[in-house]
Amino acid sequence: GKNLVKKIKIRFKIRLGAFGEVYKVYDTDRDEFYALKCINRNKIEKDGIIKYILTEKEILSKLDSKYII
């Protein structure tokens, strides 16, 4: 597949969340904007909250939305 770094352009930080930062990004292939959550791996490993991240990922993967990829 195409390199994600070349495909996604970060526009600005939307907010700082409990697990990392959320950015507004532009997908050059799809010509669309998205919110991209960047998770701080060191924080979740140190705080022992990996199970919460995996649960969130599982729930989001079951949603049928063009805004969740």
Side-chain angles (χ1 to χ4, degrees):
K2 191 171 181 180
N3 187 338
L4 185 61
V5 175
K6 292 179 182 177
K7 177 180 167 171
I8 301 292
K9 304 295 181 195
I10 295 175
R11 296 300 184 210
F12 59 87
K13 186 189 318 184
I14 296 172
R15 66 170 287 170
L16 178 62
F19 306 129
E21 299 171 328
V22 180
Y23 294 92
K24 181 176 182 178
V25 298
Y26 177 71
D27 183 327
T28 57
D29 282 354
R30 295 181 180 189
D31 191 31
E32 293 183 321
F33 287 94
Y34 298 98
L36 175 68
K37 181 184 269 188
C38 298
I39 298 171
N40 183 323
R41 176 175 279 185
N42 292 331
K43 178 170 177 41
I44 64 169
E45 289 175 350
K46 181 185 78 147
D47 294 348
I49 53 178
I50 294 174
K51 66 180 179 178
Y52 299 109
I53 300 297
L54 295 175
T55 300
E56 179 182 21
K57 178 185 172 199
E58 181 181 339
I59 291 168
L60 291 173
S61 71
K62 293 177 180 179
L63 297 177
D64 183 22
S65 172
K66 73 175 192 170
Y67 300 108
I68 300 173
I69 56 173

